[in-house]
């Protein structure tokens, strides 16, 4: 039987802390593979062993495959968890782990490869009969030819890097006059960020919601879905607030989405945690991409589903399971996550660095804080500016919004500026509260970040308070009806 006594973490910050916590509870020792900049961090203090794998710039440490492998081997680790970002979706890294007899906590390298290339992923998905955003995914990459294809797709068009991720390498083209420059610059960005100039085109859906399904494959080939998340609140294609379940979704569409996600995971012979991302516009939904890793926003799923996805990943990598039955997996209540960035919300979100002073996380029922910094730590300019995530759970969405507002209002972080005022303004916006927001939300209402003394709607604040008092049980009863119809969930509600 496979075992892991010691697991290396090829990551940093709050996700490294998250993995260390899971390992401690499972009786597994941890080795943190860290850069020179990350010695004064919470993950460094919590891990059992630490190995410095290189200088602060990511390509010399966190993105260096050989340095991570050698670091893990030198500390006698038997497995590597890649977290998210960095090498988490790098098939070459997963292969290098296998070659050195290190268990890679994640999908098989072939699966990472298949879904990592957005073009091959779209082709697979179309083959199993699920709609993808219409566009051009052909081999001819001549800019002039791509412009002709843009005309066929019809403006607005989005140009994307085949190997893309993290919102990079994407350009929206609103008309022919912009096409040449946009395609050329998407190609340049794609080469710089992902080492490949290959791009593809999609119709730009201008009033869509971002809905994604958490799926999981155990080592025996069982595929589960853990319902959906909504991540429509995005800035420059990067998620800011996420929730589970979706804020407002037709029951029938939900059922179709969940089924489609399971079908896609099955087609890819999926193992481990994964996320199938869709854009939903009007009554249609389209596959966008599959992320073959743990997602930043996994806590909202953990809160409503009552599962631990990191432990499930580790168990699966050890061939333990089955972990659940689909019928056991049922959602309860509503969860919201806000990403806390060290940045100045009044200056269009420019990063804020420096030593962190006092921090206070206001604990309470249904509140979770995933953070990677403590008082006295340094926020450096080398890495993503997300320093923490605040997650809340409550019985209904309105209550969860109200709880998040209170939690953020009472959170204190000295030393660096944070986006908390910006998050509060979003939470108090009528379109967010109604659940009708699309991916255009931030562009439409907060294009330049936050203005000083931006007015808040007192009506909304009063509405939130009174709806919390009245219980707001409507959302749950509609879900209950839907679940009773679902083929996967007989007896679900009689268990609660
Ligand atoms: P990445 O892998 O870089 O995160 P995605 O393909 O997941 O990129 O897209 C990120 C976000 O970009 C989506 O959530 C959505 O807001 C926007 N987006 C991507 N494709 C489209 C499209 N065809 N139409 C409208 N918005 C899109």
């Amino acid at each position: 039987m496979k075992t892991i006594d010691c697991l290396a973490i090829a990551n940093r910050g709050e996700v490294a802390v998250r993995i260390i916590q899971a390992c401690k509870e499972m009786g597994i020792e941890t080795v943190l593979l860290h850069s020179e900049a990350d010695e004064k961090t919470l993950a460094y203090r919590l891990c059992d062993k630490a190995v410095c794998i290189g200088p602060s710039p990511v390509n010399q440490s966190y993105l260096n495959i050989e340095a991570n492998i050698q670091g893990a081997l030198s500390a006698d680790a038997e497995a590597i968890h890649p977290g998210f970002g960095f090498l988490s979706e790098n098939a070459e890294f997963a292969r290098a782990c296998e070659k050195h007899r290190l268990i890679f906590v994640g999908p098989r390298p072939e699966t990472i490869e298949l879904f990592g290339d957005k073009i091959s992923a779209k082709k697979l998905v179309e083959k199993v009969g699920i709609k993808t955003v219409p566009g051009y995914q052909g081999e001819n990459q001549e800019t002039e030819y791509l412009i002709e294809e843009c005309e066929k797709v019809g403006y607005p068009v989005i140009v994307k890097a085949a190997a893309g991720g993290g919102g990079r390498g994407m350009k929206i083209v609103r008309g022919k006059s912009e096409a040449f420059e946009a395609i050329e610059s998407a190609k340049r960005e794609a080469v710089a960020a992902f080492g490949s100039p290959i791009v593809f085109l999609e119709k730009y859906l201008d009033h869509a919601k971002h809905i994604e399904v958490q799926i999981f494959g155990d080592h025996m080939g069982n595929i589960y879905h853990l319902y959906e998340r909504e991540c429509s609140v995005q800035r420059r294609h990067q998620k800011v607030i996420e929730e589970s379940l979706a804020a407002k979704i037709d029951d029938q569409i939900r059922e179709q989405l969940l089924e489609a996600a399971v079908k896609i995971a099955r087609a890819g012979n999926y193992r481990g945690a994964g996320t199938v991302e869709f854009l939903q516009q009007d009554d249609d939904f389209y596959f966008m991409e599959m992320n073959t890793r743990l997602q930043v926003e996994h806590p909202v799923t953990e809160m409503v589903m009552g599962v631990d996805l990191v432990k499930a990943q580790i168990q699966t990598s050890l061939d333990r399971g089955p972990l659940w039955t689909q019928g056991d997996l049922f959602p309860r209540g509503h969860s919201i996550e806000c990403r806390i960035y060290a940045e100045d919300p009044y200056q269009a979100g420019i990063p804020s660095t420096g030593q962190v002073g006092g921090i206070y996380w206001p604990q309470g029922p249904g509140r979770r804080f995933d953070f990677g910094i403590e008082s006295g730590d340094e926020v450096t300019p080398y890495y993503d500016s997300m320093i923490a995530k605040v997650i809340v759970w409550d019985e209904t969405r309105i209550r969860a919004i109200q709880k998040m507002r209170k939690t953020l209002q009472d959170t204190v972080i000295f030393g660096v500026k944070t986006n908390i005022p910006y998050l509060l303004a979003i939470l108090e916006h009528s379109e967010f509260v109604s659940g009708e927001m699309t991916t255009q939300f931030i562009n439409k209402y907060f294009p330049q970040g936050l203005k000083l003394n931006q007015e808040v709607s007192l009506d909304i604040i009063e509405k939130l308070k009174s709806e919390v008092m009245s219980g707001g049980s409507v959302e749950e009863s509609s879900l209950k009806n839907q679940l009773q119809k679902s083929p996967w969930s007989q007896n679900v509600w009689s268990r609660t």
Side-chain angles (χ1 to χ4, degrees), residues 118 160 165-167 202-205 210 234 237 277 289 439:
K118 294 187 183 193
K160 291 186 178 182
E202 278 180 0
K203 176 88 192 161
Y204 183 70
L205 305 178
H210 174 118
Q234 299 181 356
H237 310 302
E277 296 192 329
E289 67 162 341
T439 58

Side-chain angles (χ1 to χ4, degrees), residues 369-390:
F369 303 91
D370 282 18
F371 51 88
I373 49 150
E374 286 182 311
S375 180
D377 293 350
E378 198 80 31
V379 176
T380 67
Y382 298 109
Y383 312 113
D384 187 88
S385 58
M386 189 182 82
I387 52 171
K389 301 178 313 208
V390 174

Side-chain angles (χ1 to χ4, degrees), residues 114-115 119-132 137 260 263-264 267-268 287:
L114 174 68
F115 289 114
I119 297 179
S120 67
K122 281 184 85 168
K123 288 190 173 146
L124 171 82
V125 166
E126 283 165 8
K127 223 159 75 188
V128 297
I130 290 153
K131 266 198 257 180
T132 62
Q137 306 138 41
K263 211 166 170 185
I264 292 166
F287 167 84

Side-chain angles (χ1 to χ4, degrees), residues 210-414:
H210 174 118
I211 312 277
E212 58 185 37
V213 178
Q214 175 71 55
I215 57 97
F216 201 99
D218 68 20
H219 80 286
M220 300 163 83
N222 299 309
I223 304 285
Y224 312 93
H225 75 77
L226 291 96
Y227 288 82
E228 82 281 3
R229 296 183 283 258
E230 171 159 0
C231 318
S232 298
V233 179
Q234 299 181 356
R235 185 183 53 175
R236 296 189 287 273
H237 310 302
Q238 289 266 52
K239 298 159 189 169
V240 178
I241 297 182
E242 303 99 336
E243 53 192 303
S244 185
L245 302 179
K248 206 167 197 181
I249 187 168
D250 180 81
D251 290 344
Q252 223 179 339
I253 292 182
R254 165 183 288 128
E255 196 143 338
Q256 289 167 6
L257 270 168
L258 300 177
E259 239 173 284
V262 168
K263 211 166 170 185
I264 292 166
R266 265 205 194 109
N269 188 22
Y270 203 85
R271 185 189 68 190
T275 295
V276 191
E277 296 192 329
F278 297 94
L279 284 175
Q280 186 218 327
Q281 183 160 289
D282 306 323
D283 289 335
D284 286 316
F285 62 86
Y286 307 87
F287 167 84
M288 197 165 38
E289 67 162 341
M290 160 81 119
N291 290 327
T292 54
R293 55 172 162 83
L294 188 71
Q295 204 90 338
V296 177
E297 57 274 22
H298 75 278
V300 291
T301 298
E302 294 186 325
M303 298 292 260
V304 292
M305 303 304 298
V307 297
D308 186 318
L309 289 169
V310 176
K311 285 186 191 142
Q313 286 186 300
I314 296 172
Q315 284 172 298
T316 301
S317 72
L318 286 171
D319 297 344
R320 310 282 160 84
L323 302 172
W324 313 289
T325 64
Q326 186 65 61
D328 283 335
L329 293 169
F330 56 93
R332 187 153 191 282
H334 197 88
S335 180
I336 302 178
E337 171 179 286
C338 284
R339 299 188 185 194
I340 310 292
Y341 289 102
E343 62 179 36
D344 187 343
Y346 299 105
Q347 287 195 58
I350 59 162
S352 170
T353 55
Q355 193 181 32
V356 180
I359 299 187
Y360 173 69
W361 301 113
Q363 305 293 332
R367 300 173 182 201
R368 166 173 165 179
F369 303 91
D370 282 18
F371 51 88
I373 49 150
E374 286 182 311
S375 180
D377 293 350
E378 198 80 31
V379 176
T380 67
Y382 298 109
Y383 312 113
D384 187 88
S385 58
M386 189 182 82
I387 52 171
K389 301 178 313 208
V390 174
I391 305 109
V392 299
W393 178 91
D394 211 321
E395 292 177 46
T396 64
R397 181 170 189 265
I398 290 293
R399 285 193 187 187
I401 294 174
Q402 187 66 333
K403 181 172 287 183
M404 182 61 91
R405 288 186 56 234
K406 223 23 227 148
T407 309
L408 292 182
Q409 279 164 358
D410 295 344
T411 297
V412 180
I413 302 176
F414 283 120

